[in-house]
Amino acid sequence: MEFPKGFKWGTATASYQIEGAAGEDGRGESIWDRFSRTPGKVLNGHTGDVACDHYHLYKHDVALMKEIGVDSYRFSLAWPRIYPTGAGQVNHRGLDFYKRLIEELLTAGIEPAATLYHWDLPQALEDKGGWMNRDTALYFQDYAETVFQELGDSVQLWITLNEPWCSAFLGYGNGEHAPGKQDFAGHLHAAHHLLLAHGLALQAYRALNLPAEIGITLNLTQQYPASSSPEDQEAVRKADGFHNRWYLDPLLKGFYPQDMPEFLSIVAPKIQPGDFDLISAPLDFLGINNYSRGIVEHDGQGGYRSVPPQGPVTAMGWEVYPQGLYDLLMRVHKDYGPLPLYITENGAAYHDLVEQGRVHDQERIVYLQEHIAQAAKAIQDGVPLQGYYVWSLLDNFEWAFGYERRFGIVYVNFETQERMLKDSALWYQSFLKGLARG
Ligand code: FCB
């Protein structure tokens, strides 16, 4: 396998999933604090109050990354640490945590890659309508500008939003994630405001003339038909429109997919002149999170439904289908390129067992190897892929599944906060050692 010079190898995490210290140093309440406390929303009633206690153990975690040998670390900033109520006075104690973390990374020779929004919206903004309210995009611009001003020269890669499809659909459409709203039309408004927030943050960034690259991360899943019938092909078009193109098109083409009139008629009243100029302003890269594929069939009523996986699955029930990553990269490049791409998340949850002080997570190793091989093949076939981040460095709070799904290459004992490199981390370490990097 060959990777271009300067290709970045990393691991990724997100603030609410690892930091803990939920009430510390003036941090405000986020929608995930509220949601995880609402009975029945998160498995076993787990919350991110303590999580991996990374807020206190970050030095140890950076040391682990150094030991593994990554080039870059993708983390996210908690908006409510910096603006406890979403707007108003900056909380410098919150910003200081990220300054300490970044300093520790730079000292260890690891490039910081920072995401501004990985789902922990200040609850005070949710109380005013959250992402369904257009003003949230404006507050986000202010928050982004503060962060760029304070940390702008020390971060190498900026990501505005993580997976707006999840924030919009899981948060406001089916309610599986915070804030738990169930309103299909509302989720499309939320999606529009998230895209606008991205555009406004990008505008603020460009105005500051900072040198680092900036982009956005989407969760993209290649969709396949259950059969070769024209009806199932049509089902693929619709599923792809919903999961992928509804975000790719506005960002990279400057308009919503025209073949989705039912969606368009809902969102049209919310679109204001100039929105698409902001949303589709040039990106330095697109971040892609990918875990699996989708298989769909028509439902006989003009819609579609998912069919069960056809191969092995992870502990999430997600099919392991490495070729899906190749197909996706080729497709994004062909339909939206040329544009530098990063895989900002890829990884797998398995039911890990500690046996005599070791975790033999062979399935995760195979998962990573096979996906990295598909990424290498896409590069060979012309895709300008610039980096790959394993999700995740640590076992952590896996949203609605609490601590019941382990994605880490590092095992975390949530009672003692002890960390232990799983076999997959040791494999990643030797894989990285074996690469000629420069
Ligand atoms: C992605 C999220 C990330 C993590 C993985 C498993 O959708 O961005 O926080 O939960 O899934």
Side-chain angles (χ1 to χ4, degrees), residues 14 17 74 118-119 162-163 166 219 289 291 316 318 345 391 396-399 407:
Q17 294 181 278
R74 174 176 177 237
H118 201 130
W119 307 355
N162 179 70
E163 304 188 348
C166 291
N219 53 310
N289 292 352
Y291 291 89
M316 296 294 281
W318 298 347
E345 285 180 27
W391 183 271
N396 60 45
F397 176 83
E398 177 46 37
W399 308 115
F407 271 92

Side-chain angles (χ1 to χ4, degrees), residues 73-364:
Y73 172 49
R74 174 176 177 237
F75 59 96
S76 80
L77 286 84
W79 185 350
R81 283 201 194 283
I82 296 168
Y83 284 103
T85 56
Q89 285 292 317
V90 179
N91 174 33
H92 284 280
R93 286 183 296 162
L95 263 173
D96 287 347
F97 168 67
Y98 299 106
K99 289 186 180 166
R100 292 195 296 276
L101 170 64
I102 288 170
E103 199 184 301
E104 194 70 16
L105 287 165
L106 294 174
T107 308
I110 299 170
E111 290 188 1
T115 304
L116 291 173
Y117 185 72
H118 201 130
W119 307 355
D120 37 4
L121 184 74
Q123 180 64 40
L125 293 185
E126 182 55 39
D127 295 343
K128 298 183 196 160
W131 288 112
M132 294 206 326
N133 177 359
R134 189 179 168 98
D135 291 346
T136 300
L138 300 168
Y139 291 125
F140 182 75
Q141 186 181 37
D142 293 341
Y143 155 62
E145 189 169 29
T146 300
V147 172
F148 295 146
Q149 278 164 346
E150 295 277 341
L151 312 175
D153 53 359
S154 53
V155 168
Q156 260 92 2
L157 208 69
W158 287 105
I159 294 166
T160 54
L161 305 179
N162 179 70
E163 304 188 348
W165 179 90
C166 291
S167 301
F169 183 66
L170 303 179
Y172 297 85
N174 74 4
E176 283 177 15
H177 281 183
K181 300 267 159 24
Q182 293 178 321
D183 172 355
F184 187 83
H187 112 267
L188 290 176
H189 304 322
H192 187 67
H193 298 143
L194 280 152
L195 289 166
L196 183 65
H198 156 80
L200 289 166
L202 192 60
Q203 182 190 52
Y205 187 75
R206 297 298 186 212
L208 291 168
N209 265 317
L210 290 164
E213 297 170 30
I214 185 164
I216 183 171
T217 279
L218 301 180
N219 53 310
L220 301 177
T221 305
Q222 192 72 357
Q223 304 292 325
Y224 299 82
S227 80
S228 56
S229 74
E231 292 85 357
D232 286 351
Q233 298 288 347
E234 175 64 6
V236 165
R237 182 186 65 75
K238 289 193 168 136
D240 182 55
F242 173 57
H243 286 278
N244 303 322
R245 288 184 292 119
W246 196 257
Y247 299 85
L248 284 165
D249 282 14
L251 289 163
L252 298 165
K253 294 186 170 166
F255 44 81
Y256 284 121
Q258 299 299 303
D259 64 333
M260 300 179 70
E262 347 57 279
F263 282 44
L264 281 170
S265 61
I266 293 171
V267 79
K270 299 284 173 178
I271 301 171
Q272 293 189 11
D275 283 3
F276 286 119
D277 295 335
L278 287 164
I279 293 170
S280 65
L283 296 171
D284 297 324
F285 67 88
L286 174 70
I288 295 176
N289 292 352
N290 176 256
Y291 291 89
S292 187
R293 67 159 165 176
I295 311 175
V296 292
E297 65 181 4
H298 72 100
D299 66 1
Q301 294 166 353
Y304 69 88
R305 61 181 163 232
S306 298
V307 309
Q310 292 176 359
V313 296
T314 66
M316 296 294 281
W318 298 347
E319 184 180 355
V320 180
Y321 189 73
Q323 195 198 320
L325 177 59
Y326 172 82
D327 292 346
L328 176 72
L329 291 169
M330 295 303 287
R331 178 276 172 108
V332 169
H333 180 54
K334 174 169 114 348
D335 291 351
Y336 299 95
L339 177 67
L341 303 177
Y342 284 92
I343 295 169
T344 40
E345 285 180 27
N346 176 244
Y350 287 107
H351 298 293
D352 298 317
L353 291 175
V354 182
E355 294 167 296
Q356 284 149 5
R358 295 284 300 269
V359 177
H360 301 299
D361 56 339
Q362 190 55 30
E363 289 169 296
R364 184 174 290 107

Side-chain angles (χ1 to χ4, degrees), residues 376-392:
K377 191 169 160 225
I379 294 173
Q380 229 168 42
D381 292 343
V383 173
L385 186 67
Q386 302 196 338
Y388 174 93
Y389 292 79
V390 175
W391 183 271
S392 177

